[in-house]
Amino acid sequence: MASLITCPHCGVRPKEEFTIRGDASLVRPTLTASDEAWHDYVYVRANPRGRTLEHWQHVAGCRRFLVVERDTFTHEVHSVTDGAAFATENGR
Amino acid sequence: MRYSAFSIVKNALSGNLKWKPQWRQAEPKPHYDVVIVGGGGHGLATAYYLAKEFGVKNVAVLEKGYLGSGNVGRNTTIVRSNYMLPGNEPFYEFSMKLWEGLERDLNYNVMLSQRGVIMLYHSDVQRDAYIRRGNAMWMEGVAAELIERDQLKKMIPFLNYDHARYPILGGLLQRRAGTARHDAVAWGYARGADRHGVDIIEHCEVTAIRRENGVVSGVETTKGFIGCGKLALAAAGNTSRVGEMADLKLPIESHVLQAFVTEGLKPCIDHVIVYGGGHFYISQSDKGGLVFGAEIDGYTSYAQRGNLATAEHVMEEGVTMIPGLSRVRVLRSWAGVMDMSMDGSPIIDRTPIDNLYLNCGWCYGGFKATPASGYCFAHLIAKNDTHPVARALRLDRFARGYAIDEAGAGPQPNLH
């Protein structure tokens, strides 16, 4: 893959500078949401074979959370967005 | 054909020209009582025990590639039952006991080698954790031994005992654990299942699951429609994709794990050694190659290949534990795609669809579980009732708050 990630703040960096937090497509339910909604958020994953959104943190760089769009079969990285910008764009 | 000393002599005298194939190349019938998706170790073991122990003979196993092309052929062949949590330990010990009788049961040499698995510790805290694990094993009737540093030095002299950061202070040993020949396990189960009438259909990929009135009526495959009374999924790394065909939402991510084998060496490593400072594990195959692996690559993946940086990390861990490894050449590396479940433990259960059964979430511990997984899954399919040692492995345990989190990592699959 994905041995290189283009951080929007730091440029092209080896992926070992990053840690991966997991699925970024999930939307946190409200505190009063049903048990089922919380179960799905915490435990259930779409796990697609193809494009997926993930949270990566640039721990050995700018320390920002990023949203990486990546193909889970080809390992190709399609886009990298700053986490805060992604949240704003998607109304979170 | 039953194998025996007599059959070997007889075939040798006839020039070894009369050996029969170990299983038939079956073509699908229109309908089976049970269709199993996935011709790996777990699917084949399930079919074998369904036919042999539970009398369900009209069974098909569908494999999208050739038999043994998935994770049963892509692992480090270790079998052990040194788990800690009550939901896991009895299950893996049941599996260990099945391993011990497997060759006689299958009439097949799976080359079970109970050479002992030793997990090394590097600090007082880690020693205490291993003592606790050993006690948990004893409570389930499984022998465990704490080996102190001096004794360990005599047993395994080539380890790096005085490493600055991870000095080796001792280890926890399960003597009955060891390795088995992974391909032979697949072949032995396939031959056994075939002998009991199971159709093993290779190069037959499931493309859709057909449902009528809320129950599964069969599967669409690359060899046409195959009807079934019950459908059992044992699709390892592709569980989410197969599950999606029946609208199942699963607590699974697919991750990739790499393993390596070196050039053949004279016998030098007598045990399976697990490096507690990281997660490196190594043993020597009967051919002489050193077989080793470490942790998963860390990101979700369906590609049966890993990342070079992780390969480098694995080598670093290995050389930290055994400096002499730095002179050994690696011949091959491979990567398997695995279901990583949200608590690191497997799932054997019915699904919300009455005649659809699920076996998944083996993380990277599926090989050692092969016999018990097959037995318990067959029990569930045949009797619609969970086997006693698999009661804690139900799908709804997350919702009920009974996750079996052996690593204590929480719902983060890449940390288990």
Side-chain angles (χ1 to χ4, degrees):
Chain A
M1 87 173 239
S3 47
L4 297 172
I5 301 284
T6 306
C7 173
H9 308 290
C10 312
V12 180
R13 296 299 173 107
K15 83 158 193 37
E16 281 56 51
E17 291 189 7
F18 302 80
T19 57
I20 303 156
R21 178 64 179 79
D23 198 337
S25 64
L26 299 160
V27 181
R28 190 180 175 86
T30 60
L31 284 175
T32 53
S34 66
D35 285 355
E36 198 194 357
W38 275 99
H39 170 264
D40 288 357
Y41 172 69
V42 176
Y43 293 115
V44 174
R45 296 290 177 266
N47 194 24
R49 183 181 188 264
R51 289 194 182 203
T52 186
L53 293 172
E54 287 168 332
H55 278 127
W56 292 52
Q57 191 191 6
H58 194 186
V59 283
C62 60
R63 303 193 63 79
R64 294 288 291 178
F65 266 93
L66 310 173
V67 173
V68 176
E69 188 187 16
R70 193 174 62 83
D71 190 298
T72 60
F73 184 61
T74 64
H75 290 171
E76 190 179 346
V77 174
H78 293 285
S79 69
V80 184
T81 320
D82 181 79
F86 180 87
T88 311
E89 273 170 38
N90 291 278
R92 292 190 190 167
Chain B
M1 177 192 291
R2 272 194 75 77
Y3 297 149
S4 63
F6 176 70
S7 78
I8 291 169
V9 172
K10 196 176 90 178
N11 278 285
L13 292 176
S14 55
N16 283 318
L17 295 170
K18 291 183 179 168
W19 291 106
K20 298 274 191 317
Q22 299 184 12
W23 59 88
R24 294 166 290 129
Q25 295 293 320
E27 284 304 312
K29 292 190 275 187
H31 190 274
Y32 292 93
D33 293 342
V34 178
V35 165
I36 297 166
V37 181
H42 292 212
L44 294 167
T46 304
Y48 173 73
Y49 291 117
L50 263 177
K52 177 170 175 277
E53 300 290 334
F54 302 102
V56 184
K57 306 278 186 190
N58 189 19
V59 177
V61 177
L62 311 183
E63 166 55 44
K64 71 174 174 178
Y66 61 89
L67 193 138
S69 58
N71 290 350
V72 73
R74 290 171 175 263
N75 56 71
T76 48
T77 77
I78 298 165
V79 300
R80 59 183 174 89
S81 62
N82 55 356
Y83 280 72
M84 188 169 77
L85 298 180
N88 270 340
E89 182 59 18
F91 174 83
Y92 286 105
E93 177 54 15
F94 179 54
S95 201
M96 198 65 232
K97 285 181 176 142
L98 288 173
W99 280 117
E100 287 172 329
L102 194 61
E103 289 166 346
R104 180 174 289 251
D105 187 28
L106 292 177
N107 175 235
Y108 204 88
N109 184 9
V110 301
M111 295 165 71
L112 179 72
S113 161
Q114 293 179 290
R115 57 186 72 178
V117 169
I118 187 149
M119 293 165 36
L120 305 176
Y121 59 79
H122 311 271
S123 67
D124 292 347
V125 173
Q126 204 176 13
R127 181 193 59 210
D128 291 352
Y130 281 4
I131 290 172
R132 184 180 170 212
R133 182 189 287 238
N135 288 341
M137 289 163 65
W138 277 108
M139 282 166 70
E140 300 292 346
V142 183
E145 284 170 57
L146 198 76
I147 308 290
E148 302 279 357
R149 184 186 167 109
D150 290 344
Q151 195 187 344
L152 194 66
K153 273 186 167 171
K154 285 182 195 132
M155 275 170 64
I156 311 174
F158 48 81
L159 299 177
N160 187 5
Y161 287 89
D162 299 315
H163 190 269
R165 189 168 175 197
Y166 298 114
I168 294 166
L169 304 182
L172 183 71
L173 171 65
Q174 184 185 15
R175 285 193 195 271
R176 282 166 59 234
T179 61
R181 171 87 163 90
H182 53 340
D183 292 322
V185 173
W187 300 332
Y189 272 122
R191 172 172 168 271
D194 179 85
R195 217 169 53 193
H196 288 285
V198 172
D199 280 356
I200 296 162
I201 302 159
E202 295 171 76
H203 304 290
C204 179
E205 183 172 358
V206 171
T207 53
I209 294 175
R210 194 187 287 181
R211 279 175 286 171
E212 281 163 28
N213 305 320
V215 298
V216 173
S217 59
V219 286
E220 306 284 353
T221 75
T222 48
K223 293 195 174 189
F225 177 78
I226 303 173
C228 64
K230 294 176 177 180
L231 184 65
L233 307 181
N238 285 297
T239 297
S240 293
R241 296 178 64 219
V242 181
E244 203 179 6
M245 296 174 190
D247 299 320
L248 289 182
K249 297 191 299 177
L250 296 171
I252 296 291
E253 282 185 4
S254 295
H255 284 256
V256 67
L257 177 71
Q258 301 187 60
F260 306 85
V261 66
T262 70
E263 58 192 327
L265 304 173
K266 288 190 174 179
C268 56
I269 298 183
D270 293 337
H271 307 84
V272 179
I273 307 172
V274 183
Y275 185 54
H279 192 191
F280 181 86
Y281 35 89
I282 189 165
S283 63
Q284 188 165 20
S285 81
D286 294 314
K287 269 195 302 192
L290 305 181
V291 184
F292 56 93
E295 287 173 81
I296 55 176
D297 279 30
Y299 46 85
T300 55
S301 172
Y302 281 94
Q304 283 182 317
R305 62 190 167 85
N307 193 304
L308 202 55
T310 304
E312 186 181 19
H313 173 74
V314 174
M315 304 306 160
E316 282 170 358
E317 285 207 55
V319 172
T320 303
M321 182 175 91
I322 305 175
L325 280 186
S326 65
R327 301 297 179 96
V328 181
R329 280 168 295 195
V330 172
L331 281 193
R332 286 186 290 123
S333 74
W334 63 94
V337 178
M338 298 144 314
D339 297 344
M340 295 302 292
S341 68
M342 299 307 270
D343 61 355
S345 292
I347 294 160
I348 301 176
D349 202 358
R350 301 164 69 174
T351 68
I353 301 165
D354 268 348
N355 63 341
L356 180 62
Y357 300 81
L358 183 65
N359 179 318
C360 68
W362 293 96
C363 300
Y364 44 100
F367 181 69
K368 70 178 82 66
T370 304
S373 165
Y375 197 100
C376 293
F377 199 33
H379 184 282
L380 177 73
I381 295 162
K383 301 187 173 194
N384 259 336
D385 182 28
T386 304
H387 189 279
V389 299
R391 275 199 189 126
L393 307 179
R394 304 232 315 260
L395 179 59
D396 66 353
R397 66 175 183 265
F398 303 99
R400 292 184 299 118
Y402 288 92
I404 312 170
D405 190 351
E406 196 81 34
Q412 282 204 67
N414 63 346
L415 298 183
H416 286 289

